[in-house]
Amino acid sequence: MKRIGVLTSGGDAPGMNAAIRAVVRKAIYHGLEVYGIKYGYQGLIDGNIEKMELGSVGDIIQRGGTKLYSARCEEFKTEEGQMKGIEQLKKHGIEGLIAIGGDGTFMGAKKITEKGYPCIGVPGTIDNDIPGTDFTIGFDTALNTIIDAIDKIRDTATSHERTYVIEVMGRDAGDLALWSGLADGAESILIPESTDQMQEVVDRLKRGHERGKKHSIIIVAEGVGSGVDVAQQLEDETELETRVTVLGHTQRGGSPSAADRVLASRLGAHAVDLLLNGHAGRMVGIQQNLLVDHDIIDILNTEHQVDLDMYRLSKELSI
Ligand code: ATP
């Protein structure tokens, strides 16, 4: 293999730049040429591809977002769109591809691999919703962003003796809600993996109020429903003044944490090693702090599991 490509796709995540940097530097270190594909699979179809040098990835390890931009591309889900992408790989002499993103991105990588071009997936998404890796790139940074916001909200919550509902990202996975809730001592955490918790939340709020608690923080993962609706329901049932904060896209931005930079560097470099060793259709990950890789098909067929022991712990600690 002489020439590889790299792209970022799906939702951006802090640390993607560190992963791009690792791919480019590790590949050049091993004598490969690297081409950056802009705007994910859309850029692949459009031939938005340019050669990257050592200097192309200078001064980006600390930046959020992705230097290669990201996009959602419906056309790439079709056979015709995929063939257009393959034509571009041929035209540029690219023999292997590293795709940084979430499970949708890995579907695309699987399709390209099946067409004879080896692809390696790197998990980059703040949701931490990818099986086969303990952590995805961006999760730690998003978590720290949420915690910073909750700490600030907690100050005003105490001053005004209010209940605060904070809606965090996580359409299908409650990891961000669970980890931020545990890290910030939230009274209650609502995650998509465990519904029907409202009565418990109401009861805990009432108990807390009765023993003189000055404020309460309730974390709601967006997959459970709107934070506004949850707050309304709580106010109706407890008669406690309730406010809502939807953290939204602030969670996706910002300079990556040290943990994310290190994770991204390790995973990006490992992906290059796999391509060089003749592997295809694999996703790199980290489990118990060891670099691992799994068949992308197995990843796509497995459901991510939130840590329910941690969920139970969060309840025990907010008794
Ligand atoms: P996030 O977790 O942030 O949503 P993601 O990678 O899952 O990231 P998606 O929008 O689901 O984000 O997928 C990214 C892109 O991957 C899609 O826009 C599309 O171009 C490609 N893709 C998704 N599904 C398929 C598929 N079945 N076949 C080919 N390509 C796909």
Side-chain angles (χ1 to χ4, degrees), residues 26-27 33 37 61 72 74 80 83 98 105 125 147 152 155 205 226 254 310 312:
K26 178 83 170 174
E33 286 182 352
I37 299 159
I61 195 167
R72 311 227 185 235
E74 284 303 308
E80 201 193 344
M83 287 318 295
I98 292 175
T105 302
T125 166
I147 286 165
K152 287 175 177 147
D155 290 344
L205 264 179
S226 145
M310 244 172 79
R312 273 188 288 276

Side-chain angles (χ1 to χ4, degrees), residues 5-111:
V6 56
L7 60 77
T8 50
S9 155
D12 67 326
M16 278 184 164
N17 277 326
I20 297 167
R21 172 182 179 272
V23 168
V24 171
R25 295 264 167 104
K26 178 83 170 174
I28 294 176
Y29 175 83
H30 285 295
L32 296 173
E33 286 182 352
V34 193
Y35 280 71
I37 299 159
K38 291 188 177 163
Y39 299 102
Y41 294 117
Q42 186 62 55
L44 181 60
I45 289 177
D46 297 341
N48 198 342
I49 299 172
E50 60 187 44
K51 188 163 184 230
M52 300 186 85
E53 309 289 354
L54 288 175
S56 314
V57 289
D59 199 31
I60 65 167
I61 195 167
Q62 78 284 18
R63 294 188 199 283
T66 158
K67 184 188 167 73
L68 289 174
Y69 305 100
S70 189
R72 311 227 185 235
C73 172
E74 284 303 308
E75 191 183 357
F76 202 74
K77 294 181 182 172
T78 67
E79 179 70 17
E80 201 193 344
Q82 291 154 22
M83 287 318 295
K84 284 187 194 169
I86 296 289
E87 283 310 312
Q88 291 294 340
L89 291 178
K90 273 189 201 153
K91 186 173 149 193
H92 289 84
I94 296 170
E95 298 158 279
L97 186 68
I98 292 175
I100 305 164
D103 50 2
T105 302
F106 299 154
M107 285 292 288
K110 171 178 161 280
K111 295 286 164 57

Side-chain angles (χ1 to χ4, degrees), residues 30-217:
H30 285 295
L32 296 173
E33 286 182 352
V34 193
Y35 280 71
I37 299 159
K38 291 188 177 163
Y39 299 102
Y41 294 117
Q42 186 62 55
L44 181 60
I45 289 177
D46 297 341
N48 198 342
I49 299 172
E50 60 187 44
K51 188 163 184 230
M52 300 186 85
E53 309 289 354
L54 288 175
S56 314
V57 289
D59 199 31
I60 65 167
I61 195 167
Q62 78 284 18
R63 294 188 199 283
T66 158
K67 184 188 167 73
L68 289 174
Y69 305 100
S70 189
R72 311 227 185 235
C73 172
E74 284 303 308
E75 191 183 357
F76 202 74
K77 294 181 182 172
T78 67
E79 179 70 17
E80 201 193 344
Q82 291 154 22
M83 287 318 295
K84 284 187 194 169
I86 296 289
E87 283 310 312
Q88 291 294 340
L89 291 178
K90 273 189 201 153
K91 186 173 149 193
H92 289 84
I94 296 170
E95 298 158 279
L97 186 68
I98 292 175
I100 305 164
D103 50 2
T105 302
F106 299 154
M107 285 292 288
K110 171 178 161 280
K111 295 286 164 57
I112 298 175
T113 302
E114 285 167 358
K115 290 178 168 50
Y117 284 79
C119 278
I120 304 293
V122 177
T125 166
I126 65 165
D127 290 341
N128 209 40
D129 59 351
I130 309 284
T133 186
D134 292 343
F135 298 107
T136 57
I137 297 167
F139 175 65
D140 183 69
T141 307
L143 201 51
N144 282 293
T145 302
I146 295 170
I147 286 165
D148 185 48
I150 299 176
D151 286 348
K152 287 175 177 147
I153 289 166
R154 187 181 272 281
D155 290 344
T156 174
T158 312
S159 308
H160 289 277
E161 303 195 5
R162 280 176 185 150
T163 300
Y164 265 86
V165 170
I166 299 162
E167 183 190 308
V168 302
M169 281 189 172
R171 274 190 310 261
D172 306 309
D175 290 53
L176 279 174
L178 175 56
W179 282 65
S180 62
L182 189 56
D184 227 299
E187 273 60 45
S188 294
I189 304 167
L190 291 166
I191 58 174
E193 292 89 345
S194 177
T195 45
D196 284 345
Q197 302 284 320
M198 273 309 271
Q199 195 50 50
E200 215 179 301
V201 176
V202 169
D203 292 345
R204 197 175 299 131
L205 264 179
K206 284 182 177 165
R207 274 203 311 272
H209 187 69
E210 278 160 18
R211 69 177 168 88
K213 231 170 147 21
K214 295 282 181 233
H215 62 244
S216 290
I217 304 276

